[in-house]
Amino acid sequence: MYFAALLARTEDGWEASDTELDDVETLSDLSDLAREASVDDDTVLVYIEQEDAWFGVVRVDGEEDPRIYVSDAAAAARSSYGEILLTDELLGRDPGDDGVADLDSLDLDGTEDGETEDGADDDEDDDVGTTAKGRIVPSGPIGDREVLADLGVSEKELLTLDSTDALSEIADVLGAAEVLEAVR
């Protein structure tokens, strides 16, 4: 089950609204949705969570590029909403790079990367995920870990949040718990 909400900072505090992401296909669409909820180009936070699996926070400040944090990229990669957040830039790829190696970069010594001569595999694939488009993504947190630092949620606190109640804990620090719960 998914939950998505917008938190817009105003002079009087935070205003929350739940939002449907059915028409959102790209990060640009999501950013535009956030900017529409903004009052005087103030900060808008987009919360997206998949129950017990992952959460994401997108911060939009006026016309600046959005800042993104995803708690578990591999889990988010298995979600259509998560894939919106996992941009090439966030993953450290050149746009259009499909993650497939070209022939010049292949190791053709008879072993696979991470495999020893005796055939034992040194690497487990538990630390990566694959998107619906076949792109490989790392497991664990990815993105701007200081996305909420100036709002009271440090990098260390963000990294320790459990996906089960992370958005409520963030909203509590921001002083927006009541308005967020009202739209849940």
Side-chain angles (χ1 to χ4, degrees):
M1 179 165 167
Y2 290 96
F3 173 73
L6 298 172
L7 272 181
R9 186 163 51 181
T10 69
E11 289 179 5
D12 300 325
W14 292 92
E15 291 182 5
S17 59
D18 62 340
T19 187
E20 289 295 323
L21 299 178
D22 294 341
D23 295 330
V24 175
E25 296 180 9
T26 66
L27 181 59
S28 180
D29 293 343
L30 189 61
S31 298
D32 290 345
L33 184 67
R35 287 185 182 104
E36 289 172 11
S38 175
V39 177
D40 298 326
D41 289 335
D42 277 334
T43 300
V44 176
L45 301 175
V46 181
Y47 287 150
I48 302 173
E49 71 178 3
Q50 182 179 4
E51 191 172 297
D52 298 331
W54 66 275
F55 70 92
V57 178
V58 179
R59 179 177 178 163
V60 178
D61 294 301
E63 292 301 317
E64 293 180 28
D65 287 341
R67 297 168 59 192
I68 305 165
Y69 174 80
V70 176
S71 66
D72 187 340
R78 294 185 289 272
S79 157
S80 59
Y81 297 134
E83 278 199 329
I84 292 169
L85 305 181
L86 298 175
T87 63
D88 287 332
E89 182 179 346
L90 188 69
L91 295 170
R93 296 195 178 115
D94 292 329
D97 180 12
D98 60 7
V100 177
D102 62 8
L103 289 177
D104 294 334
S105 67
L106 293 177
D107 181 12
L108 301 175
D109 69 355
T111 62
E112 297 291 327
D113 284 343
E115 186 177 285
T116 60
E117 293 284 334
D118 66 2
D121 191 358
D122 293 339
D123 260 332
E124 292 294 325
D125 288 336
D126 295 341
D127 60 347
V128 296
T130 307
T131 67
K133 297 176 186 172
R135 298 186 309 174
I136 296 173
V137 297
S139 181
I142 192 168
D144 186 346
R145 295 174 180 187
E146 295 185 358
V147 67
L148 302 171
D150 65 323
L151 299 174
V153 181
S154 71
E155 174 182 352
K156 182 179 179 182
E157 292 168 321
L158 189 60
L159 290 171
T160 60
L161 292 175
D162 180 357
S163 294
T164 306
D165 56 354
L167 301 184
S168 296
E169 289 182 35
I170 292 169
D172 190 42
V173 171
L174 299 176
E178 289 182 24
V179 294
L180 181 64
E181 282 305 312
V183 298
R184 248 191 210 271

